[in-house]
Amino acid sequence: MKLFLDTAVYEEIEEAVGWGVIDGVTTNPTLIAKAGHDHEEQVKRICQIIGNVSAEVVSEKRDDMIVEGRRLASWHRNVIVKVPMTPDGLAAGKVLAVEGTRVNVTLCFSVNQALLSAAIGAYIVSPFAGRLDDINEDGMKVVADIVAAYRQQEIKTLVLAASMRNPMHVTQAALAGADIATLPFSVLKQMFNHPLTEAGQKRFLDDYRKTQEAKPAAAPAKR
Ligand code: E4P
C-alpha cells in the first residue's frame, strides 16, 4: 500500500518527502483554504517535489468541470484531477479520463459509488473511511468491500483509503487491501512511534557511548 499525504502545507510535504515514505499528495478545497495559498501556485509548488498530486475541481456543472479539470491537468503532469461522486462529476471525469487525464473520484461512501467510478475509467476512487465512522458506519468495512468487489470484477481502478484519522486506520486499510492510504501529517508521524523502538535506540546509543568512554586514551604521537 502506497502512502500519500493529505495536506496542502508545503513544509509538511517537504519533510515527509525527505523521509522517503510518501508517493503522493491529496488536496481538497478545505485543505487548500487551510494552507492559505493560491491554489495554482501551491499545487505547482507541490508538484515540483512529489508525483501523484490530486487537485480538486470546484465547479458544479459537467461542462464547467471539464474546462476546470483540463486547466488543473495542464498545471503539471503530476496532477491527478479530483471530481466529486455526483452525476456531473462522473460525466466530467469520463471525458477527462478518455482524454488521458488521471481522475480521482472523491467523496465515495459505498461499493456502488465505487463501481460507478470504475465505470468511467477513474484512475483512483477515494472512499472516506473516517467520515463514515463519524456517522456510526464502519468505514473500513466499506474500503474492504470495495477492494473485494474490484478484485472479483478485475477492476483496475486504485482504491485510496481517505479520511484516515489515526494510525489504526492505516493498518486496517493495508489489511483491507487498499492500494493507497492518504494521511494527515500528524497520523504519518504517529506511524513511526513505538515505545520499544524509542527505548531500544536509547539503550544502543548509551551502550555505544560507554564503550567510547572506556577506550584507553590514544598514545601521544612519536616524534
Ligand atoms: C481525501 O482525498 C480527502 O482530502 C481527505 O482524506 C478527507 O479527510 P477528512 O474527512 O479528514 O476531511
Side-chain angles (χ1 to χ4, degrees):
M1 183 176 78
K2 304 271 189 207
L3 301 175
F4 284 13
L5 208 54
D6 201 23
T7 183
V9 177
Y10 184 84
E11 292 70 23
E12 293 180 349
I13 299 163
E14 196 178 35
E15 192 165 0
V17 167
W19 296 331
V21 296
I22 63 160
D23 279 286
V25 163
T26 48
T27 67
N28 63 40
T30 307
L31 294 173
I32 291 286
K34 269 194 206 156
H37 295 283
D38 173 73
H39 192 193
E40 179 172 351
E41 262 176 35
Q42 194 65 353
V43 169
K44 285 182 173 170
R45 199 170 169 220
I46 296 167
C47 284
Q48 296 301 321
I49 58 167
I50 188 86
N52 305 310
V53 179
S54 284
E56 188 159 341
V57 299
V58 288
S59 315
E60 289 176 83
K61 293 284 169 224
R62 171 192 177 272
D63 291 351
D64 298 336
M65 284 188 202
I66 293 170
V67 172
E68 196 188 349
R70 285 178 183 148
R71 191 166 57 83
L72 297 180
S74 76
W75 287 350
H76 200 282
R77 65 178 183 285
N78 291 349
V79 169
I80 300 173
V81 176
K82 247 182 174 182
V83 296
M85 183 44 249
T86 60
D88 282 278
L90 290 194
K94 169 89 184 185
V95 173
L96 295 167
V98 167
E99 290 173 355
T101 295
R102 292 184 298 163
V103 169
N104 175 354
V105 178
T106 189
L107 293 169
C108 171
F109 295 96
S110 73
V111 174
N112 283 347
Q113 289 182 330
L115 292 172
L116 292 172
S117 307
I120 63 146
Y123 178 63
I124 288 174
V125 65
S126 295
F128 279 34
R131 290 196 195 183
L132 281 164
D133 290 357
D134 290 345
I135 59 158
N136 202 25
E137 285 187 34
D138 188 344
M140 213 45 76
K141 179 163 187 325
V142 172
V143 172
D145 287 349
I146 293 170
V147 170
Y150 276 14
R151 291 230 172 104
Q152 178 72 22
Q153 300 296 325
E154 298 185 2
I155 288 168
K156 300 278 175 281
T157 301
L158 301 173
V159 179
L160 180 154
S163 190
M164 301 279 98
R165 300 283 164 76
N166 54 56
M168 271 275 276
H169 269 155
V170 187
T171 305
Q172 289 167 342
L175 292 172
D179 300 290
I180 305 161
T182 190
L183 328 175
F185 188 57
S186 56
V187 174
L188 181 69
K189 282 195 293 184
Q190 283 176 286
M191 286 177 70
F192 284 93
N193 299 343
H194 197 287
L196 293 179
T197 305
E198 214 174 294
Q201 175 67 349
K202 183 180 177 316
R203 184 160 167 203
F204 284 155
L205 294 183
D206 286 349
D207 289 345
Y208 173 72
R209 274 183 213 112
K210 278 182 214 151
T211 62
Q212 294 304 101
E213 283 159 16
K215 261 189 187 172
K222 286 186 186 159
R223 295 193 176 191

